[in-house]
Amino acid sequence: LARLRDRLSKSNTTLGRGLLTLLSRETLDEQTWEEIEDLLIMADIGVDPTTEIVDALRERVRVLGTRDPQALTELLREEMVRAVDPTMDRTLAVDPIDGSPRVVLVVGVNGSGKTTTVGKIARVLVAQDRSVLLGAADTFRAAAAEQLSTWGSRVGVETVRKEEGADPASVAFSAVERGIAEDLDVVMIDTAGRLQNKKGLMDELGKVKRVAARPLGDDREIDEVLLVLDATTGQNGLQQAKVFSEAVNITGIVLTKLDGTAKGGIVVAVQRTLGVPVKLIGLGEGADDLAPFDAHEFVDAIVD
Ligand code: GDP
């Protein structure tokens, strides 16, 4: 939590401080509530959740008649935790099962941090003594496969790759097949994220997902489809997220680059938009800069 706070400190805590300053004012008049709303909107929480948080706060101030900044901060914390939704299941489906590996497909627009995230997750799994294999299904750029296998070597796992221009689905298939043959725990597949051609992207991701599941047998699907989203892209990123979730059934979100933005509220917006939990957050470029997302910790780090 200390590290999370430290990483978020320069950015997201500006939101927390701003809110606390406003809540400490002598009089909580209309203008103050509007300023609170502005702060939340600027943090990309989204209009609806912002209205809900502020309305709930106003109502409780009215009912309880409280002026005490401490009590108000506590109320704010509660309302924000509610907005982030602590009841969502955020566990990654990577626990071992009999007979075949868990398969994690990682999707997202280029530059969002997909490859880096695959490397970071692999590192965590290796540290937990799981056997991991990577699949480089971004076959459009030779550099993409290269980057993935560099991450693989760094964390001590192998990468299945094919020549540039190969069918991405066939790479995914081969990786899963090998994961089964070698009795591995987790196979993670990195994909391409070109958004220029929406239809092409959707067809391709759908196919990768279907074909990757084939070696697992008839009643198994891909265990986890993680959407990697750059937190600094705000509303734009939300639009992209929608395109991906139409293409494949997303099961979890990884929000990257939270270390470089004051827009941590995007957690709330993206969960609402997609109806899928944020499971992990990226807090830097290094191999250890990944954390499980926890609603309470996150809000505590912002409102301290
Ligand atoms: P991909 O194209 O989606 O595979 O994205 P990459 O994994 O290549 O990442 C793009 C850039 O974002 C790289 O420079 C990464 O080091 C950087 N990056 C990835 N995750 C994070 C993060 O959580 N925080 C920061 N600050 N940078 C990140």
Side-chain angles (χ1 to χ4, degrees):
L1 179 59
R3 207 168 122 255
L4 177 64
R5 196 166 269 159
D6 180 51
R7 281 296 158 93
L8 293 175
S9 65
K10 281 178 212 72
S11 43
N12 284 285
T13 48
T14 6
L15 166 66
R17 277 203 204 108
L19 290 171
L20 299 188
T21 309
L22 290 171
L23 287 174
S24 306
R25 279 193 184 160
E26 280 301 305
T27 46
L28 291 169
D29 55 12
E30 205 54 39
Q31 195 202 329
T32 307
W33 288 117
E34 268 172 33
E35 284 176 53
I36 291 175
E37 268 179 2
D38 287 347
L39 271 185
L40 290 168
I41 300 256
M42 275 186 324
D44 266 340
I45 283 184
V47 175
D48 289 347
T50 294
T51 311
E52 283 167 32
I53 291 173
V54 172
D55 283 355
L57 271 174
R58 291 182 71 149
E59 178 62 13
R60 293 175 75 170
V61 167
R62 195 181 63 79
V63 172
L64 301 175
T66 179
R67 277 269 90 79
D68 176 20
Q70 198 84 41
L72 285 176
T73 306
E74 207 40 57
L75 287 179
L76 172 67
R77 196 193 306 268
E78 275 173 34
E79 289 307 326
M80 285 184 54
V81 166
R82 198 197 309 276
V84 177
D85 193 352
T87 66
M88 282 182 156
D89 181 7
R90 300 177 197 278
T91 45
L92 271 192
V94 289
D95 282 339
I97 45 172
D98 276 348
S100 53
R102 293 290 201 156
V103 181
V104 180
L105 192 65
V106 182
V107 306
V109 72
N110 284 340
S112 58
K114 272 190 310 290
T115 307
T116 307
T117 299
V118 170
K120 290 173 177 175
I121 297 175
R123 181 178 168 97
V124 172
L125 294 172
V126 167
Q128 295 170 343
D129 270 335
R130 312 254 169 107
S131 50
V132 180
L133 181 67
L134 307 182
D138 181 352
T139 57
F140 293 93
R141 301 171 301 148
E146 194 56 44
Q147 194 196 347
L148 186 71
S149 60
T150 301
W151 265 105
S153 329
R154 197 194 296 184
V155 303
V157 305
E158 288 193 42
T159 303
V160 171
R161 33 187 305 199
K162 293 193 178 175
E163 71 286 358
E164 193 175 345
D167 182 357
S170 88
V171 178
F173 183 91
S174 298
V176 176
E177 217 179 21
R178 183 166 150 197
I180 295 169
E182 296 181 8
D183 198 20
L184 303 180
D185 297 325
V186 182
V187 176
M188 295 183 64
I189 299 163
D190 191 14
T191 61
R194 304 154 307 141
L195 267 185
Q196 295 90 319
N197 177 351
K198 185 172 153 184
K199 168 108 178 30
L201 174 94
M202 292 174 70
D203 289 349
E204 179 188 304
L205 284 181
K207 183 177 168 196
V208 168
K209 186 175 173 229
R210 271 195 320 278
V211 173
R214 230 175 257 160
L216 298 171
D218 283 343
D219 7 301
R220 274 277 307 283
E221 280 209 50
I222 298 298
D223 297 280
E224 191 81 67
V225 182
L226 291 178
L227 172 69
V228 176
L229 193 64
D230 177 344
T232 65
T233 58
Q235 299 303 314
N236 235 339
L238 277 188
Q239 287 311 313
Q240 292 166 2
K242 276 192 210 162
V243 173
F244 281 93
S245 78
E246 283 166 33
V248 277
N249 219 350
I250 307 291
T251 58
I253 299 154
V254 183
L255 208 53
T256 60
K257 310 187 194 182
L258 268 175
D259 50 309
T261 176
K263 297 186 173 296
I266 197 78
V267 168
V268 176
V270 69
Q271 288 188 159
R272 294 242 181 154
T273 305
L274 301 187
V276 169
V278 171
K279 294 189 169 179
L280 299 163
I281 52 178
L283 295 165
E285 297 188 272
D288 292 322
D289 298 328
L290 182 78
F293 182 77
D294 178 276
H296 293 277
E297 275 183 13
F298 187 72
V299 171
D300 278 351
I302 293 177
V303 187
D304 59 357

